[in-house]
Amino acid sequence: MAKYDDASWHCGGDFPEGLPEKNGVTHTGMFLNWCIQNDLISDELKEDEEEIQKLMRREITGAEFIMDSMDGKFSEYDLNDLGNAFAQDYYKDDTDFGNRFSSFADDYVNIFDAKAEENDYEYETFYHIEDTYENYDLMKLVIDHRFQEWKEYKSLG
């Protein structure tokens, strides 16, 4: 099983004291939320219908969904074939697509650094970015754009 991300990868070592563990998957949750909204998830994950409906109604965030329904782990089993193809090129670091256009992590850091700068603010760490739908909506626009670029890159589009 290829794992894309895991809360445990982020919540040890130099994870900031005092932050909730779910802050370790805020970024992952935004990507997964986008995948759910765009029907790029596996049939197995769709079985968690009640929690997915809460996510669709914005009652919970993607990070909360990952922590509560996915044990903090995000893997290839959570996406369908198209979702995995996109995640392999965009969510993973150091791919040909990511190097030519941008990776998810680079986009995530850049969009929130720009937002912070506009507001004369600086995030203490990557993990201090707020898990909000306002932030998801900003990231969603970037992922939408990258998905279009990716489809053209793969000649799918």
Side-chain angles (χ1 to χ4, degrees):
M1 166 185 74
K3 206 185 298 185
Y4 294 117
D5 220 328
D6 189 323
S8 70
W9 297 349
H10 301 280
C11 294
D14 57 359
F15 186 76
E17 270 189 51
L19 285 182
E21 196 172 282
K22 85 171 174 83
N23 283 41
V25 294
T26 297
H27 62 293
T28 313
M30 288 186 190
F31 185 78
L32 180 67
N33 193 342
W34 183 89
C35 289
I36 291 170
Q37 302 289 335
N38 287 276
D39 198 25
L40 297 178
I41 59 170
S42 66
D43 290 339
E44 291 82 9
L45 192 59
K46 287 179 182 176
E47 291 174 7
D48 202 348
E49 194 175 329
E50 187 177 321
E51 291 301 302
I52 287 174
Q53 288 306 312
K54 285 182 184 177
L55 186 81
M56 299 291 273
R57 292 188 304 262
R58 295 183 169 216
E59 294 171 6
I60 61 172
T61 65
E64 290 167 332
F65 182 85
I66 288 173
M67 293 304 286
D68 296 341
S69 297
M70 299 167 63
D71 196 30
K73 296 165 181 56
F74 173 47
S75 76
E76 64 187 16
Y77 294 120
D78 301 316
L79 301 177
N80 62 23
D81 289 343
L82 184 61
N84 273 307
F86 181 52
Q88 288 287 333
D89 286 338
Y90 180 58
Y91 192 84
K92 282 187 160 184
D93 291 328
D94 203 26
T95 66
D96 184 61
F97 176 79
N99 291 333
R100 287 186 191 196
F101 298 91
S102 187
S103 69
F104 175 78
D106 287 343
D107 281 341
Y108 183 83
V109 168
N110 291 337
I111 194 81
F112 293 113
D113 279 352
K115 176 188 173 187
E117 193 173 310
E118 285 172 17
N119 294 294
D120 201 29
Y121 177 77
E122 188 176 321
Y123 286 106
E124 189 176 326
T125 70
F126 176 87
Y127 302 113
H128 283 81
I129 294 168
E130 301 88 355
D131 184 29
T132 66
Y133 270 98
E134 177 187 341
N135 283 343
Y136 168 75
D137 290 339
L138 281 176
M139 198 64 220
K140 176 192 176 308
L141 295 174
V142 175
I143 303 171
D144 286 342
H145 176 73
R146 290 290 178 235
F147 189 60
Q148 291 308 313
E149 285 180 331
W150 177 80
K151 288 194 301 187
E152 290 169 20
Y153 168 80
K154 289 291 199 182
S155 302
L156 301 174

